[in-house]
Amino acid sequence: MTDSYLCPYCAVTVDAFDALKTHVIAEHSTEPLPLPDGVIQLTINKQAYQLYVEPEWTLHHVIHDRLGLTGTKTFCDRGACGSCTVNIDSRPVLSCMTLAIECKGKTIETIEGISADHHPLIEAYVTQHAMQCGYCTPGFIVTGKALLDHNADPTEEEIKEALAGNLCRCGTYPQHPKAVLEAAQVLREGR
Ligand code: FES
Ligand code: FES
C-alpha cells in the first residue's frame, strides 16, 4: 500500500509529502490556512468569532449556551413561536431551526447588538408598554429591526405581517405595531 497525501486546500491527492509541499507552495501560498473541520468564522453583533461547532448544534445553542448571549430565547424549540429570532445578513431567521454550521461567513445580529446600538425600538418598546413578562420581546424587536432595515416607513399592516410569526403568551399584540411605528418615526427624523 502506498502512502497518499491530501491537500487541505483543494483535496488533490499526491503520493509523497515533498510533492504535497511543492503543490501547496505552487498553488496555495497566498491563501489563508484552511480551517479545521467543524470550525466556522462568523460575525455576531459586529464581533468576529472563530468557533468549533458540532454538526447538530443549532445557532440558538451556540449563541445562547456557548457564547452566553442569553437575550435570544426559546419557547417552542420547533419553529413555531419566533422567540429565538436573530437577524442573519439583515433577515429574521429562527435560530432554533438553523444549524450553526450553516452560518459560516454570516453576519448575525441579536437583541444584545440592537440594544448596544441604542436602536430606537428599545425605547419605543418601553414607552409603548409593548411587553408584560418580556420573554417574547427580543424576538419581536429583532424581527421589527429587520423590517425597519428594509422599510423605513412601514404601514401598520406591513408591521403586523412582519411580526405575524412572533407569538406572545401575555397578549401584548396591540402594542407592537405602535412601538415599531414610533421607532420608524424616530429613525426618519434622525432623533
Ligand atoms: S423557539 Fe424557535 S421558533 Fe420557537
Ligand atoms: S410579554 Fe410575555 S410572552 Fe410576550
mmCIF file of all heavy atoms in Angstrom, residues 75 130-137 140 167-172 176, ligand 2:
data_model
loop_
_atom_site.group_PDB
_atom_site.id
_atom_site.type_symbol
_atom_site.label_atom_id
_atom_site.label_comp_id
_atom_site.label_asym_id
_atom_site.label_seq_id
_atom_site.Cartn_x
_atom_site.Cartn_y
_atom_site.Cartn_z
ATOM 1 N N PHE A 75 -39.063 29.400 23.190
ATOM 2 C CA PHE A 75 -40.320 28.925 23.777
ATOM 3 C C PHE A 75 -40.558 27.487 23.319
ATOM 4 O O PHE A 75 -40.610 26.569 24.097
ATOM 5 C CB PHE A 75 -41.498 29.755 23.245
ATOM 6 C CG PHE A 75 -42.040 30.764 24.210
ATOM 7 C CD1 PHE A 75 -42.419 32.024 23.763
ATOM 8 C CD2 PHE A 75 -42.218 30.466 25.549
ATOM 9 C CE1 PHE A 75 -42.932 32.967 24.623
ATOM 10 C CE2 PHE A 75 -42.729 31.408 26.414
ATOM 11 C CZ PHE A 75 -43.088 32.659 25.943
ATOM 12 N N ALA A 130 -44.914 47.692 25.397
ATOM 13 C CA ALA A 130 -45.150 46.582 24.467
ATOM 14 C C ALA A 130 -44.645 45.259 25.017
ATOM 15 O O ALA A 130 -44.162 44.417 24.261
ATOM 16 C CB ALA A 130 -44.495 46.906 23.125
ATOM 17 N N MET A 131 -44.697 45.105 26.312
ATOM 18 C CA MET A 131 -44.288 43.825 26.902
ATOM 19 C C MET A 131 -44.960 43.656 28.258
ATOM 20 O O MET A 131 -45.349 44.641 28.904
ATOM 21 C CB MET A 131 -42.772 43.766 27.077
ATOM 22 C CG MET A 131 -42.229 44.686 28.147
ATOM 23 S SD MET A 131 -40.469 44.990 28.005
ATOM 24 C CE MET A 131 -40.417 46.234 26.729
ATOM 25 N N GLN A 132 -45.090 42.386 28.660
ATOM 26 C CA GLN A 132 -45.564 42.105 30.020
ATOM 27 C C GLN A 132 -44.484 41.294 30.727
ATOM 28 O O GLN A 132 -43.622 41.853 31.392
ATOM 29 C CB GLN A 132 -46.903 41.383 29.993
ATOM 30 C CG GLN A 132 -47.536 41.302 31.368
ATOM 31 C CD GLN A 132 -48.959 40.795 31.328
ATOM 32 O OE1 GLN A 132 -49.743 41.175 30.477
ATOM 33 N NE2 GLN A 132 -49.276 39.907 32.253
ATOM 34 N N CYS A 133 -44.439 39.977 30.506
ATOM 35 C CA CYS A 133 -43.338 39.214 31.122
ATOM 36 C C CYS A 133 -42.019 39.460 30.403
ATOM 37 O O CYS A 133 -40.951 39.288 30.968
ATOM 38 C CB CYS A 133 -43.661 37.725 31.145
ATOM 39 S SG CYS A 133 -43.422 36.898 29.557
ATOM 40 N N GLY A 134 -42.091 39.818 29.129
ATOM 41 C CA GLY A 134 -40.895 40.182 28.375
ATOM 42 C C GLY A 134 -40.177 39.033 27.686
ATOM 43 O O GLY A 134 -39.198 39.255 26.974
ATOM 44 N N TYR A 135 -40.679 37.823 27.881
ATOM 45 C CA TYR A 135 -39.925 36.680 27.331
ATOM 46 C C TYR A 135 -39.917 36.678 25.805
ATOM 47 O O TYR A 135 -38.912 36.320 25.180
ATOM 48 C CB TYR A 135 -40.523 35.366 27.854
ATOM 49 C CG TYR A 135 -39.597 34.205 27.669
ATOM 50 C CD1 TYR A 135 -38.555 33.959 28.558
ATOM 51 C CD2 TYR A 135 -39.747 33.352 26.578
ATOM 52 C CE1 TYR A 135 -37.686 32.903 28.377
ATOM 53 C CE2 TYR A 135 -38.878 32.287 26.396
ATOM 54 C CZ TYR A 135 -37.853 32.063 27.300
ATOM 55 O OH TYR A 135 -36.997 31.014 27.112
ATOM 56 N N CYS A 136 -41.006 37.094 25.187
ATOM 57 C CA CYS A 136 -41.085 37.093 23.719
ATOM 58 C C CYS A 136 -40.474 38.342 23.101
ATOM 59 O O CYS A 136 -40.279 38.411 21.886
ATOM 60 C CB CYS A 136 -42.542 37.011 23.281
ATOM 61 S SG CYS A 136 -43.460 38.535 23.696
ATOM 62 N N THR A 137 -40.211 39.339 23.935
ATOM 63 C CA THR A 137 -39.868 40.674 23.431
ATOM 64 C C THR A 137 -38.614 40.700 22.536
ATOM 65 O O THR A 137 -38.635 41.357 21.486
ATOM 66 C CB THR A 137 -39.706 41.655 24.618
ATOM 67 O OG1 THR A 137 -40.810 41.482 25.503
ATOM 68 C CG2 THR A 137 -39.655 43.087 24.126
ATOM 69 N N PHE A 140 -39.570 39.768 19.005
ATOM 70 C CA PHE A 140 -40.347 40.828 18.335
ATOM 71 C C PHE A 140 -39.434 41.972 17.893
ATOM 72 O O PHE A 140 -39.538 42.472 16.769
ATOM 73 C CB PHE A 140 -41.417 41.377 19.284
ATOM 74 C CG PHE A 140 -42.711 40.608 19.279
ATOM 75 C CD1 PHE A 140 -42.952 39.630 20.228
ATOM 76 C CD2 PHE A 140 -43.698 40.873 18.341
ATOM 77 C CE1 PHE A 140 -44.147 38.915 20.239
ATOM 78 C CE2 PHE A 140 -44.902 40.178 18.343
ATOM 79 C CZ PHE A 140 -45.131 39.185 19.301
ATOM 80 N N LEU A 167 -45.072 34.958 18.520
ATOM 81 C CA LEU A 167 -46.190 34.729 19.437
ATOM 82 C C LEU A 167 -45.886 35.300 20.820
ATOM 83 O O LEU A 167 -44.732 35.316 21.250
ATOM 84 C CB LEU A 167 -46.475 33.231 19.572
ATOM 85 C CG LEU A 167 -46.784 32.478 18.274
ATOM 86 C CD1 LEU A 167 -47.152 31.038 18.579
ATOM 87 C CD2 LEU A 167 -47.894 33.157 17.492
ATOM 88 N N CYS A 168 -46.950 35.780 21.467
ATOM 89 C CA CYS A 168 -46.821 36.334 22.820
ATOM 90 C C CYS A 168 -47.896 35.721 23.702
ATOM 91 O O CYS A 168 -49.089 35.904 23.459
ATOM 92 C CB CYS A 168 -46.982 37.863 22.774
ATOM 93 S SG CYS A 168 -47.075 38.594 24.418
ATOM 94 N N ARG A 169 -47.465 35.017 24.735
ATOM 95 C CA ARG A 169 -48.443 34.375 25.627
ATOM 96 C C ARG A 169 -49.161 35.394 26.486
ATOM 97 O O ARG A 169 -50.220 35.118 27.048
ATOM 98 C CB ARG A 169 -47.732 33.359 26.530
ATOM 99 C CG ARG A 169 -47.176 32.184 25.778
ATOM 100 C CD ARG A 169 -46.504 31.231 26.705
ATOM 101 N NE ARG A 169 -47.505 30.535 27.509
ATOM 102 C CZ ARG A 169 -47.708 29.230 27.451
ATOM 103 N NH1 ARG A 169 -46.970 28.488 26.665
ATOM 104 N NH2 ARG A 169 -48.615 28.659 28.202
ATOM 105 N N CYS A 170 -48.584 36.588 26.661
ATOM 106 C CA CYS A 170 -49.196 37.605 27.522
ATOM 107 C C CYS A 170 -50.198 38.479 26.757
ATOM 108 O O CYS A 170 -50.840 39.334 27.368
ATOM 109 C CB CYS A 170 -48.131 38.492 28.145
ATOM 110 S SG CYS A 170 -46.952 37.608 29.153
ATOM 111 N N GLY A 171 -50.290 38.310 25.456
ATOM 112 C CA GLY A 171 -51.292 39.055 24.695
ATOM 113 C C GLY A 171 -50.961 40.513 24.489
ATOM 114 O O GLY A 171 -51.841 41.380 24.537
ATOM 115 N N THR A 172 -49.707 40.825 24.257
ATOM 116 C CA THR A 172 -49.318 42.238 24.079
ATOM 117 C C THR A 172 -49.442 42.696 22.621
ATOM 118 O O THR A 172 -48.958 43.775 22.272
ATOM 119 C CB THR A 172 -47.843 42.430 24.516
ATOM 120 O OG1 THR A 172 -47.019 41.527 23.754
ATOM 121 C CG2 THR A 172 -47.655 42.147 25.989
ATOM 122 N N HIS A 176 -47.339 46.175 19.750
ATOM 123 C CA HIS A 176 -46.142 46.027 18.909
ATOM 124 C C HIS A 176 -46.137 46.953 17.692
ATOM 125 O O HIS A 176 -45.132 47.634 17.441
ATOM 126 C CB HIS A 176 -45.955 44.560 18.503
ATOM 127 C CG HIS A 176 -45.676 43.666 19.671
ATOM 128 N ND1 HIS A 176 -44.416 43.527 20.213
ATOM 129 C CD2 HIS A 176 -46.504 42.915 20.429
ATOM 130 C CE1 HIS A 176 -44.479 42.700 21.246
ATOM 131 N NE2 HIS A 176 -45.742 42.318 21.401
HETATM 132 S S1 FES B 2 -44.764 39.604 27.017
HETATM 133 FE FE1 FES B 2 -44.966 37.654 27.960
HETATM 134 S S2 FES B 2 -44.860 36.271 26.311
HETATM 135 FE FE2 FES B 2 -44.942 38.180 25.382
#
